[in-house]
Amino acid sequence: MHVLLLFLPALVLAQTIPNVSLLIDNPHLYSGKATIRTVLPLVSIRKGGPFHFGSTHDIFAPTAEAEWTSDKFSNVWNHIVAENGCKWYDTEPQPGVSNLTDCKGVQQYAIAHGASFRGHNTFWHSQLPSWLPGNVSASDLVNTVVPEHVAAEISGLGSYVTSWDVTNELIGDSTTMSMDAWECVQSANRWPTMTMDGGSVPLVTYLSFPYAAWSTALKYDPGKLVYNDYSTGATNDSKTECVFKLLADLHTNAHIPYTHMGVGFQSHIGAQPGSFVPKEQLETTFRRLAALGVDALITEMDMWIPTNTTAALRYQAAIWGDYIDACLYSSNCHEFIGWDTRDDVSWIKAGPGHGVAMPTLFDENGNPKPVYYEVLARFERYAAWKPEMCATALGVAECQVPRD
Ligand SMILES: *[C@@H]1O[C@H](CO)[C@@H](O)[C@H](O)[C@H]1NC(C)=O
Ligand SMILES: *[C@@H]1O[C@H](CO)[C@@H](O)[C@H](O)[C@H]1NC(C)=O
Ligand SMILES: *[C@@H]1O[C@H](CO)[C@@H](O)[C@H](O)[C@H]1NC(C)=O
Ligand SMILES: *[C@@H]1O[C@H](CO)[C@@H](O)[C@H](O)[C@H]1NC(C)=O
């Protein structure tokens, strides 16, 4: 299971869902018959390089839907991320004993489907092996534990990888604009900036542990090295500012070239105003990264909906389409991953804060939802060299993002 880390503590309020216009309202313009994967090579041509559109898989996942899953990784997605199989608890179950069976298994599954593979992740405070945090001193952590883990995993997976989440979710949720990079991380109040017993004495007292992780990762040059987090991407947002400060700090103090860096925007969002980042803001943030030479990636997208209605499913399609467009029309975005393949296996469950969930492209029976067809239409439109559309999720009347 992907451990629950909530996005904004979103309340599902009774709100009017905007009336959106979608590409699938003009079906004669779009085939609806092509599968997404058949369009991706044409997307890559316009992009000027490979475009990776993926979802999650684990080789130990229940196999009831094995045939469906294999079909979709042949006909929809061309890119695969291990949902859990590359996390620390699975890859180093005992100290110093690397076991990459489950992680490499997903990479092999990708190869068998002609798909690319991305690594998630080498450092996270959650889903740790049982021996961590344990009684590890700061110097052991920074000089031995982190470098050995990162080296074993990244070198073990080799070069068949587009990018690695080197550090995941370091930054807290209660940041302010005035914090520096260390304060941004320390404000999360998590190991290892806190002692193992959760006491108030910090184990590490500066960004030594991300420096260790990133410097080690850089030695193996496994594609882009990514900082991955949730509730980021908006403009005038202190957590997003913290991401920029962390990149600058890693650049200055760990000597990581910006051109090797990426930022993963997890994008666990909701189809409700305030629970997603408007396209214009996402693109502004992506362009700021591009100016540094840093890639932007959508790494874990899913989107709960407030009600199981046509209007909500259309709103979901519009927002997802806007995120796709933001990535496609940004020069530095080459990877877009949806978290979980279909609604019935999603880690986002219906309930308080998540409405009726239904957060993926496919329903609980594995059938494509309106959002699937809209995403396909966005890809087809881009592949046909059409100009970027306005931000559909804001509703037609508010559409004001003319480009090209
Ligand atoms: C490595 O992990 C796999 C999958 O969890 C397990 O079956 C295997 O026994 C492990 N190997 C060792 C040497 O522990
Ligand atoms: C933790 O490790 C230190 C140094 O190795 C040792 O002195 C101490 O007793 C250990 N504490 C516990 C609770 O194991
Ligand atoms: C940025 O956000 C702050 C606090 O939320 C707000 O006071 C300020 O007006 C915003 N600035 C801009 C330019 O939107
Ligand atoms: C949503 O509504 C449709 C149509 O009534 C129904 O078939 C489907 O099972 C519902 N899904 C969920 C998750 O409630």
Side-chain angles (χ1 to χ4, degrees):
M1 199 190 84
H2 181 86
V3 163
L4 190 74
L5 272 155
L6 290 176
F7 182 65
L8 301 173
L11 294 173
V12 179
L13 304 170
Q15 292 195 31
T16 311
I17 292 172
N19 184 22
V20 296
S21 83
L22 299 172
L23 286 182
I24 52 174
D25 294 336
N26 300 298
H28 61 284
L29 292 178
Y30 303 97
S31 71
K33 289 183 185 134
T35 65
I36 288 177
R37 187 142 176 198
T38 59
V39 181
L40 294 177
L42 299 171
V43 168
S44 296
I45 288 171
R46 180 169 181 185
K47 267 279 176 189
F51 189 76
H52 308 278
F53 179 64
S55 190
T56 50
H57 185 62
D58 270 317
I59 57 168
F60 50 75
T63 52
E65 310 296 348
E67 202 177 317
W68 181 94
T69 304
S70 183
D71 173 67
K72 293 300 174 283
F73 279 116
S74 302
N75 293 308
V76 175
W77 299 294
N78 67 355
H79 192 43
I80 307 185
V81 180
E83 178 153 10
N84 292 299
C86 297
K87 290 174 182 169
W88 203 338
Y89 81 97
D90 200 352
T91 51
E92 195 181 347
Q94 275 98 49
V97 183
S98 181
N99 183 341
L100 301 176
T101 302
D102 293 331
C103 190
K104 283 183 175 174
V106 176
Q107 188 185 48
Q108 286 301 323
Y109 187 87
I111 291 167
H113 288 80
S116 47
F117 169 82
R118 85 174 296 262
H120 171 84
N121 54 54
T122 59
F123 187 97
W124 191 26
H125 64 274
S126 186
Q127 290 182 277
L128 290 166
S130 56
W131 58 277
L132 286 175
N135 189 17
V136 173
S137 70
S139 81
D140 278 351
L141 182 76
V142 168
N143 298 317
T144 310
V145 172
V146 168
E148 284 185 356
H149 176 68
V150 174
E153 181 159 15
I154 289 187
S155 70
L157 272 291
S159 59
Y160 194 87
V161 61
T162 55
S163 58
W164 267 102
D165 289 333
V166 178
T167 47
N168 197 45
E169 300 177 359
L170 297 185
I171 297 168
D173 295 326
S174 307
T175 53
T176 65
M177 285 289 190
S178 64
M179 287 179 172
D180 65 20
W182 164 245
E183 290 165 337
C184 289
V185 171
Q186 197 184 25
S187 74
N189 293 325
R190 297 174 189 135
W191 180 82
T193 71
M194 291 289 138
T195 44
M196 58 178 176
D197 61 4
S200 59
V201 182
L203 179 65
V204 294
T205 51
Y206 71 110
L207 293 170
S208 52
F209 67 105
Y211 299 161
W214 283 71
S215 312
T216 306
L218 185 65
K219 285 186 201 158
Y220 298 93
D221 200 19
K224 293 284 175 175
L225 310 180
V226 175
Y227 177 74
N228 192 45
D229 214 330
Y230 59 92
S231 297
T232 49
T235 54
N236 191 26
D237 170 64
S238 61
K239 189 166 180 183
T240 303
E241 290 310 312
C242 281
V243 174
F244 280 93
K245 287 169 188 167
L246 187 57
L247 297 184
D249 195 299
L250 288 165
H251 176 70
T252 302
N253 293 312
H255 313 294
I256 311 297
Y258 280 126
T259 51
H260 285 58
M261 290 182 175
V263 173
F265 297 87
Q266 293 185 2
S267 309
H268 298 294
I269 58 177
Q272 175 173 270
S275 297
F276 64 93
V277 181
K279 177 167 108 161
E280 204 176 349
Q281 294 192 28
L282 207 52
E283 292 186 347
T284 298
T285 300
F286 286 9
R287 278 199 297 274
R288 231 178 117 189
L289 290 170
L292 292 169
V294 176
D295 270 6
L297 305 81
I298 303 287
T299 50
E300 308 188 10
M301 183 142 163
D302 46 36
M303 191 194 319
W304 57 264
I305 57 174
T307 51
N308 182 6
T309 57
T310 300
L313 290 165
R314 286 175 58 82
Y315 195 34
Q316 180 182 52
I319 299 165
W320 205 298
D322 283 353
Y323 272 62
I324 290 278
D325 279 352
C327 183
L328 289 177
Y329 289 90
S330 296
S331 62
N332 56 337
C333 188
H334 313 285
E335 298 190 42
F336 191 115
I337 295 109
W339 205 255
D340 290 317
T341 51
R342 46 193 273 176
D343 288 348
D344 54 324
V345 300
S346 173
W347 71 295
I348 302 285
K349 305 297 178 198
H354 289 141
V356 293
M358 301 177 70
T360 76
L361 302 181
F362 294 94
D363 72 15
E364 73 274 24
N365 299 312
N367 295 315
K369 293 156 58 184
V371 60
Y372 170 85
Y373 291 110
E374 183 66 14
V375 167
L376 169 59
R378 300 296 174 113
F379 280 131
E380 287 188 319
R381 183 184 160 93
Y382 180 84
W385 293 80
K386 299 270 175 53
E388 183 176 5
M389 298 200 311
C390 296
T392 53
L394 298 179
V396 187
E398 291 178 63
C399 178
Q400 46 181 258
V401 197
R403 296 209 192 281
D404 292 23

